[in-house]
């Protein structure tokens, strides 16, 4: 039996969040039975999106984070001030050893895979952004 890989996903980060993040988590969990996704964000909003899908409940768990870092906020200041944001909560989970990866999924939209500072193939105790192709797969570099 394979070891389960625990992944923290910033459900509030990115365009059309949390809808796209939830959809990506459900798709990924459906394709990879040895994965557990912790969706981090405003619990009510995330659970409302999850209710639209059928999925293995043991593979996806919602972790509440009350604060959201907005696109226009300077990242360093936002992370320092918003200690209960989804990305800060996810990074704490990495530090505590609860998850191996903390990141967010985003659609790959025609540019080179891995462009724009994207890290692919990040391993244990890492933070990353995972670009996906139009079918939700991770493009090869």
């Amino acid at each position: 039996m394979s070891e389960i890989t625990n992944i923290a996903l910033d459900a509030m980060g990115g365009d059309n969040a949390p809808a796209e993040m939830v959809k990506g988590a459900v798709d990924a969990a459906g394709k990879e039975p040895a994965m557990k996704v912790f969706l981090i964000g405003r619990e009510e909003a995330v659970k409302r999106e999850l209710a639209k899908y059928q999925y293995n409940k043991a593979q996806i768990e919602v972790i509440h984070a009350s604060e959201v870092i907005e696109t226009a906020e300077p990242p360093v200041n936002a992370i320092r001030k918003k200690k209960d944001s989804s990305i800060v909560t996810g990074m704490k989970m990495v530090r505590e050893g609860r998850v191996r990866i903390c990141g967010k999924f985003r659609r790959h939209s025609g540019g080179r895979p891995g462009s724009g500072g994207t890290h692919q193939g990040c391993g244990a105790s890492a933070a990353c952004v995972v670009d996906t192709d139009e079918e939700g797969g991770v493009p090869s570099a």
Side-chain angles (χ1 to χ4, degrees), residues 65-113:
S66 63
E67 296 176 299
V68 174
I69 296 176
E70 302 297 335
T71 304
E73 290 183 78
V76 173
N77 292 340
I79 288 171
R80 287 180 180 157
K81 291 179 183 177
K82 294 187 173 181
K83 299 295 184 187
D84 195 39
S85 65
S86 49
I87 195 68
V88 172
T89 300
M91 293 307 297
K92 286 178 187 175
M93 292 175 74
V94 170
R95 185 180 64 218
E96 295 165 356
R98 294 176 58 195
V99 299
R100 291 184 62 180
I101 298 169
C102 170
K104 65 181 182 177
F105 292 121
R106 73 177 186 196
R107 287 260 181 224
H108 171 61
S109 57
R112 289 185 335 272

Side-chain angles (χ1 to χ4, degrees), residues 103-136:
K104 65 181 182 177
F105 292 121
R106 73 177 186 196
R107 287 260 181 224
H108 171 61
S109 57
R112 289 185 335 272
S115 61
T118 301
H119 302 282
Q120 294 183 339
C122 52
S125 300
C128 64
V129 175
V130 178
D131 268 337
T132 61
D133 61 22
E134 293 305 315
E135 288 77 43

Side-chain angles (χ1 to χ4, degrees), residues 13-95:
D15 295 338
N16 303 313
E20 288 297 316
M21 302 305 127
V22 169
K23 181 179 186 289
V26 170
D27 287 348
K31 292 177 182 176
E32 181 53 62
M35 174 191 303
K36 179 163 184 174
V37 179
F38 293 86
L39 284 167
I40 307 170
R42 292 192 172 144
E43 186 173 16
E44 186 177 312
V46 175
K47 285 186 172 181
R48 186 172 40 250
E49 287 300 320
L50 270 174
K52 298 175 182 178
Y53 299 95
Q54 291 184 2
Y55 60 96
N56 180 347
K57 307 283 190 262
Q59 281 188 274
I60 298 179
E61 183 177 331
V62 178
I63 304 291
H64 180 66
S66 63
E67 296 176 299
V68 174
I69 296 176
E70 302 297 335
T71 304
E73 290 183 78
V76 173
N77 292 340
I79 288 171
R80 287 180 180 157
K81 291 179 183 177
K82 294 187 173 181
K83 299 295 184 187
D84 195 39
S85 65
S86 49
I87 195 68
V88 172
T89 300
M91 293 307 297
K92 286 178 187 175
M93 292 175 74
V94 170
R95 185 180 64 218

